[in-house]
Amino acid sequence: MYRVPVVLVPLFLVAILQLTTSHEVTYKSLTFGKDTSSYILMSPDMSPLQEELTICSWIKRMSNHQKNAQYWLSYVASANYEEIIISDTALYYLFRDGTSYTHPSLTTGWHHICCTWSYSSRTKRVYYDGVQIGSESTPSGRKLNIPGSLMLGQLHQGYGGGTIQSCCYFGGEMFQTNFFSTELSSSQIKEMYSQGRCSNYTQNFSDVTFLSWEEILQKDRHGSVTDKDLEECSTDHTHPTEEEETTEGPVNSTSWRFLRGEHFYNKEISTDMISKMTGRLDLLIEFYNHTVDDALIKHLEKHHTDKAPGNSIEEVEDRESEEMTDSLELFLTDNWEFLTDRMFYMKIVTEDLISGMTERLDLLAEFSGHLCDDSIINHLEKHHA
């Protein structure tokens, strides 16, 4: 008589545990090799998306072999129709037709891309960093064709994963790629971007999530597709409160982790390197009491990025591949990506934060002429933590 509650209670607790854990955000990104063999191939039943859809992802452009045609997603129907393709510059094809849009500035770092459509509105829209940059009508009566093959990391034109286009591999990094079986509004997409890539805002749409990032991470990978933890999104990463800001002091700047970023790692420590970083800190302090979020980083990249003459991404596109690689590397070293490190990301800009970093740059300058390799970093971490 009393055995039923004994059995049901544990099962009930297990069900609750599964419900809560299944919706946890996973802070791992995926990096795709710069080749045509690195991809994730799936064959999901896309019928829930036949009449409306939204696809959103955080994308980092890391290759420059094509100006517009580096595609991170392609969906091909069984009749070999390219139903959906999306590039890292927000070029959005739906039903084999491109979407008229304002081409975004090609800056480095993370950017948020969302593409929407619905049968009822007959309109496809594309958003870049929370702002709608393009829209276009779709044919009357047209729905998404099924079945089909879905590929991340490549542009394929053959149902089942065939006919991968050698010109158009992605070769970049993606995070929080989610498919929703509804047409999200512009305000919802703007809020998704504003919340930042480390937020759990997408959980608000769990009832209409068709394919989640957590599910994608479990799919089989082909070629060089690697995952890595996003340290700036660690679980102990929170917005500092006013009390923490005044009491924490320079603790936010006690790490030498930033030396493993592309600005420093395995590069010769020089006066020019230090002065450029010092200049950026001088600019950053102008945003005193602001949070170092994606919006601030985007502003700095747009208005305060040093580019050597003739080395913008647009100009580099037209050069020979070897020259293009060298020039692009020069461009990439002059950006604000170091702010995505957890040392800065989502922290409040304070004098303590800046002075802590300045002190470290002064120490680093003592090793001028040396290579910023593991031995130097380990020494600094051991003796100047």
Side-chain angles (χ1 to χ4, degrees), residues 240 244-245 247-259 277 281 284-285 292 338-339 341-345 347-363 380-381 384-385:
E244 288 172 337
E245 180 186 342
T247 60
E248 190 173 342
V251 172
N252 286 336
S253 302
T254 57
S255 171
W256 291 94
R257 188 185 299 107
F258 71 94
L259 292 181
M277 281 297 297
L281 294 177
L284 187 61
I285 196 61
V292 182
F338 73 94
L339 292 180
D341 187 275
R342 62 184 295 185
M343 176 178 174
F344 286 98
Y345 192 63
K347 298 289 194 301
I348 302 294
V349 179
T350 64
E351 291 182 1
D352 284 339
L353 182 68
I354 301 300
S355 63
M357 182 65 168
T358 302
E359 291 173 4
R360 277 158 179 72
L361 291 177
D362 290 340
L363 279 170
L380 292 167
E381 287 177 336
H384 301 284

Side-chain angles (χ1 to χ4, degrees), residues 2 17 19 25 158 182 254 258 272 278 300 318 328 343 356 369 372:
Y2 293 100
L17 179 62
L19 182 62
V25 176
T182 190
T254 57
F258 71 94
D272 184 58
T278 302
L300 291 168
D318 301 325
L328 180 61
M343 176 178 174
C372 187

Side-chain angles (χ1 to χ4, degrees), residues 27-31 110 173-175 213 226-228 230:
Y27 297 118
K28 286 184 180 292
S29 65
L30 289 177
T31 301
W110 287 102
E173 189 174 357
M174 71 171 58
F175 177 61
W213 180 240
T226 57
D227 61 65
K228 71 173 184 179
L230 292 184

Side-chain angles (χ1 to χ4, degrees), residues 30-75:
L30 289 177
T31 301
F32 291 76
K34 298 178 181 180
D35 52 55
T36 58
S37 59
S38 301
Y39 59 86
I40 295 176
L41 177 63
M42 300 167 276
S43 298
D45 177 9
M46 300 281 276
S47 55
L49 307 186
Q50 276 196 284
E51 295 191 8
E52 56 182 327
L53 60 82
T54 298
I55 303 171
C56 292
S57 183
W58 287 93
I59 296 294
K60 181 188 286 188
R61 180 185 174 96
M62 299 172 65
S63 182
N64 201 47
H65 56 282
Q66 293 286 335
K67 186 172 183 178
N68 291 325
Q70 296 174 175
Y71 292 96
W72 54 271
L73 180 148
S74 56
Y75 171 70

Side-chain angles (χ1 to χ4, degrees), residues 289-338:
N289 218 27
H290 284 70
T291 300
V292 182
D293 55 11
D294 292 301
L296 177 57
I297 296 172
K298 179 184 176 183
H299 170 85
L300 291 168
E301 286 181 331
K302 182 177 181 180
H303 300 286
H304 302 286
T305 295
D306 298 331
K307 303 177 187 178
N311 281 314
S312 68
I313 287 184
E314 290 84 353
E315 294 168 324
V316 166
E317 295 283 357
D318 301 325
R319 300 182 184 176
E320 297 296 328
S321 59
E322 183 175 355
E323 295 177 353
M324 180 171 60
T325 302
D326 293 340
S327 299
L328 180 61
E329 183 176 353
L330 176 60
F331 174 81
L332 290 176
T333 57
D334 278 340
N335 59 37
W336 293 88
E337 193 170 358
F338 73 94

Side-chain angles (χ1 to χ4, degrees), residues 8 22 32-33 59 74 83 89 91 99 153 166 212 216 225 262 271 273 280 303 306 317 340 367 371:
L8 288 179
S22 62
F32 291 76
I59 296 294
S74 56
E83 292 286 278
T89 57
L91 184 59
T99 305
S166 60
S212 71
I216 290 172
V225 182
E262 63 178 331
T271 302
M273 172 192 287
R280 281 169 174 73
H303 300 286
D306 298 331
E317 295 283 357
T340 63
F367 295 88
L371 197 65

